[in-house]
Amino acid sequence: MSLAVSATAAWQSERNRLLGIAYRMLGDFGHAEDVVSEVAIDAVRQERKADGHGVESWPAWLTTVCVRRSVDRVRQLAAVREDYTGPWLPEPVDTSRLPEETVANRELLSLTLLHLAEQLAPEARAALVLHRAFGMSAPEIADILEKTPTAVRQMISRAERRLDIDPDAPAPRTKDRAALEKLVRAIEQGDIDTVVAMLDRDAVLWADGGGKVKSAMNPVFGAERIGRFFAGILGKAAAFDPVQPVRSRIIEVNGEAAVLLRHQGRCDVLFIDAGLDGSVRELRQLANPDKLTRISLDGP
């Protein structure tokens, strides 16, 4: 087997795991695929070097290059996202389209955590992803990030506190499907009172239209204001289609349940995050059509 084939075979074996790392880092599946493709080119070039230095462990080498390239890409995208029209939300992906290795451990895969992780510095995000989603130790992560194990542990601890992640929790909490179904019925029936009653008093809604469709340009705070926001949507939907203003169904996205809404000739995907008491404290409405290309919009 030639060296180039060895590099290619190693990359093919590790590709889905690398994709899982890059997607969690970037919140954009297209950019994640680009990074992983660049890693493949780097691997072949590494083996073709004339200095004769071999790679002791291809999985370790590929992981290191993937993480470092992802960190660089996060920094590049930060400037672009500052100019984004309205709130920026990660790109959702149908669970069925994600590689098994990406979904097997759902940690840090939910759109909520992908969004919240944007608060973290790139290297802190990398440390959290590698530790929480891929079970890597602080010394292993330290080698990749060129930090000390102590510094890595501090980054992970601070990131978990920032994102309100229980360090001892084995897996993310499953969303209450009954609550989602109740929300779906209330929205379809135009029952704004029920929608408001389901919201935490201090709930917040982010709506990402990306300037492509009409949407809230800033986060909407408070149950009453969110209720008025949905009332406005339902009123326009009723004017557009008096017979069936809104159609909705529950879909599986990013390893979790979400709501697909059809209204006014467009599709939105709604994600909710509920507290322990079942009240909805955060909502994320993805309406930018450019970000819905990896979601199955067909169906009943």
Side-chain angles (χ1 to χ4, degrees):
M1 180 179 291
S2 68
L3 290 177
V5 171
S6 176
T8 302
W11 176 83
Q12 289 174 338
S13 176
E14 295 291 319
R15 180 182 179 277
N16 287 342
R17 187 176 65 85
L18 300 176
L19 192 57
I21 292 172
Y23 178 54
R24 286 172 170 87
M25 284 286 297
L26 300 165
D28 184 298
F29 206 75
H31 279 292
E33 289 178 320
D34 290 344
V35 164
V36 174
S37 295
E38 291 167 4
V39 172
I41 297 171
D42 290 342
V44 172
R45 286 175 176 167
Q46 176 67 22
E47 281 203 322
R48 288 178 176 172
K49 282 185 177 179
D51 57 17
H53 293 162
V55 173
E56 293 183 6
S57 169
W58 273 115
W61 189 93
L62 291 166
T63 299
T64 298
V65 175
C66 180
V67 170
R68 291 178 181 175
R69 277 196 169 274
S70 295
V71 166
D72 290 342
R73 186 68 66 97
V74 169
R75 292 189 175 118
Q76 294 167 8
L77 291 175
V80 176
R81 289 171 183 173
E82 283 182 1
D83 296 329
Y84 192 79
T85 302
W88 179 91
L89 292 176
E91 177 192 21
V93 183
D94 267 347
T95 300
S96 61
R97 297 187 184 184
L98 290 168
E100 285 188 18
E101 290 89 337
T102 305
V103 183
N105 183 342
R106 294 186 299 117
E107 189 72 74
L108 299 180
L109 189 60
S110 76
L111 191 122
T112 295
L113 284 179
L114 288 175
H115 182 212
L116 292 176
E118 288 291 304
Q119 306 171 38
L120 304 177
E123 290 184 335
R125 185 167 183 169
L128 185 67
V129 166
L130 294 176
H131 175 66
R132 293 289 303 188
F134 295 91
M136 295 182 66
S137 67
E140 290 172 322
I141 299 169
D143 287 341
I144 294 173
L145 298 179
E146 298 180 315
K147 304 282 186 183
T148 66
T150 299
V152 168
R153 291 187 188 97
Q154 289 176 342
M155 282 196 294
I156 293 170
S157 178
R158 290 169 183 164
E160 288 174 336
R161 289 197 300 271
R162 186 79 178 269
L163 272 58
D164 194 23
I165 295 174
D166 181 353
D168 299 320
R173 185 177 70 252
T174 301
K175 282 192 171 59
D176 186 346
R177 195 176 184 91
L180 277 173
E181 291 172 348
K182 181 178 179 181
L183 184 64
V184 165
R185 289 194 299 271
I187 292 174
E188 282 188 333
Q189 295 168 7
D191 185 356
I192 298 300
D193 289 340
T194 295
V195 172
V196 172
M198 293 182 66
L199 302 176
D200 182 270
R201 183 182 63 181
D202 298 319
V204 57
L205 176 140
W206 291 268
D208 180 348
K212 303 297 178 68
V213 296
K214 191 170 183 180
S215 191
M217 292 296 293
N218 297 293
V220 182
F221 296 96
E224 293 298 329
R225 292 187 65 190
I226 294 172
R228 290 196 294 272
F229 174 81
F230 278 113
I233 290 177
L234 292 171
K236 293 174 183 176
F240 182 86
D241 183 352
V243 177
Q244 193 172 19
V246 179
R247 289 177 292 156
S248 61
R249 62 186 174 94
I250 294 178
I251 59 176
E252 289 293 325
V253 181
N254 286 50
E256 64 182 352
V259 180
L260 175 64
L261 299 172
R262 294 178 181 274
H263 62 98
Q264 303 175 70
R266 72 187 229 193
C267 291
D268 299 349
V269 179
L270 184 66
F271 301 84
I272 71 168
D273 183 44
L276 294 177
D277 62 353
S279 62
V280 177
R281 57 187 183 184
E282 295 179 352
L283 304 94
R284 290 168 174 83
Q285 180 190 18
L286 215 310
N288 183 346
D290 292 346
K291 291 187 178 181
L292 300 179
T293 60
R294 300 179 195 274
I295 296 226
S296 296
L297 301 177
D298 298 329

